[in-house]
Amino acid sequence: MPVTIDLTGRTALVTGGAGGLGFACARALADAGADVVLSDLESPRLSRAAAELGAAARPADLTDRAQAAALVDGLDRLDVLVNCAGIMRTTPLLDIEPGEWLRVVDVNLNATFWLTQAAGRRMAGQGAGSIVTLASVAARSGRPNAAHYSASKTALLSLTRSAAEALAPVRVNAVCPGVVLTPHVGGDHQRPRPPLRPRGRGGLPEGGRRALAAQAGGAARGGGGGGVVPGQRPGVVRDRPGAQRRRRTGDELT
Ligand SMILES: NC(=O)c1ccc[n+]([C@@H]2O[C@H](COP(=O)([O-])OP(=O)(O)OC[C@H]3O[C@@H](n4cnc5c(N)ncnc54)[C@H](O)[C@@H]3O)[C@@H](O)[C@H]2O)c1
């Protein structure tokens, strides 16, 4: 069943907005009527992406807690946060150097926490809002060649559950996409590479679009609670069996 969400008058902040999924999420939110603010590391890519969407660009290195807080403080209003900023490294477990481990955890987990905390404080104060975090199918299983990535994404699921409890009625959810060809996974999203179907900057797969719109749309309704919505095959975001028994999770997503 199609999900129709109207986010007119709402402000949505999307991190990693110059990247593949961030841009696609931002476009989905803009299509739903939201005023979109794109954040990413300062680069021409960010300016180009924002210009393409007619969105505001707010550069920030989110591993810096002060920059994360300033990003939220600089917004007149904030109804939806999509945590898309992230990095992936492919290195066998025994070869991961301390610096690489720390960097992956810093960007994927710490930065997401700084921003979730800052945004959560604002949203809890206004009694409404929606936070959606991009985890990964890698959160659900080990990755012998990306143990840091997998561990950081698993930690995001736990953070999401904690934040959902702590911040209610603010909605806090995570989605767990499978592989989508973007720069993140070394994909050239201009060139199809069967058997994977590239989604890249062009847009979200329909399942992901519905998931994002439904979760972000909770902001307009002021619904509370949260949950985790793992994807099960490349490019598709699905709700977890039994998720409908949880309170106000991704039950609109089937
Ligand atoms: N592409 C996939 O197959 C896939 C699958 C599952 C989950 N994910 C997750 O989705 C999210 C987006 O992935 P993507 O494929 O669009 O990646 P991407 O590399 O295209 O985009 C990620 C963006 O994050 C930004 N970023 C990195 N470090 C940052 C920092 N310190 N501060 C602010 N921004 C920073 C990068 O500049 C980049 O634009 C990531 O969290 C990723 O782990 C991606």
Side-chain angles (χ1 to χ4, degrees):
M1 208 167 83
V3 177
T4 306
I5 301 289
D6 182 5
L7 294 176
T8 305
R10 308 281 160 173
T11 297
L13 171 62
V14 182
T15 73
L21 292 183
F23 184 83
C25 288
R27 183 145 78 183
L29 293 167
D31 288 349
D35 295 321
V36 174
V37 179
L38 283 190
S39 186
D40 207 301
L41 297 172
E42 181 140 36
S43 77
R45 279 191 310 128
L46 174 60
S47 318
R48 279 198 302 272
E52 194 173 329
L53 276 184
R58 297 279 184 277
D61 180 345
L62 299 173
T63 60
D64 179 342
R65 182 168 168 262
Q67 291 191 41
L71 177 61
V72 170
D73 288 347
L75 299 176
D76 291 338
R77 64 176 293 155
L78 179 59
D79 303 289
V80 177
L81 166 64
V82 184
N83 286 311
C84 262
I87 57 172
M88 225 270 276
R89 297 288 180 268
T90 307
T91 308
L93 184 142
L94 292 179
D95 297 335
I96 295 175
E97 298 284 347
E100 182 176 308
W101 175 275
L102 292 171
R103 182 66 188 162
V104 170
V105 172
D106 206 19
V107 175
N108 292 355
L109 178 59
N110 297 348
T112 302
F113 176 67
W114 304 139
L115 196 58
T116 296
Q117 188 183 47
R121 199 169 274 132
R122 164 83 78 95
M123 290 176 181
Q126 65 200 20
S130 177
I131 299 174
V132 182
T133 294
L134 275 279
S136 167
V137 286
R140 292 283 180 187
S141 59
R143 287 285 189 274
N145 291 324
H148 36 15
Y149 180 75
S150 175
S152 67
K153 293 296 183 178
T154 303
L156 286 180
L157 301 190
S158 177
L159 173 61
T160 297
R161 291 189 185 98
S162 300
E165 294 293 327
L167 300 175
V170 173
R171 290 168 59 91
V172 187
N173 288 278
V175 293
C176 296
V179 176
V180 184
L181 286 183
T182 68
H184 181 82
V185 290
D188 174 353
H189 44 76
Q190 305 301 324
R191 284 190 300 136
R193 291 185 190 181
L196 294 173
R197 282 176 297 165
R199 313 286 187 177
R201 264 171 122 244
L204 284 176
E206 184 53 27
R209 174 176 279 267
R210 283 192 293 134
L212 178 71
Q215 292 178 8
R221 295 195 301 273
V228 175
V229 188
Q232 296 177 353
R233 62 189 167 85
V236 174
V237 181
R238 288 187 179 162
D239 57 337
R240 184 164 56 109
Q244 293 177 15
R245 289 193 294 276
R246 295 168 61 90
R247 60 189 176 91
R248 299 194 63 82
T249 59
D251 53 353
E252 307 95 322
L253 308 181
T254 48

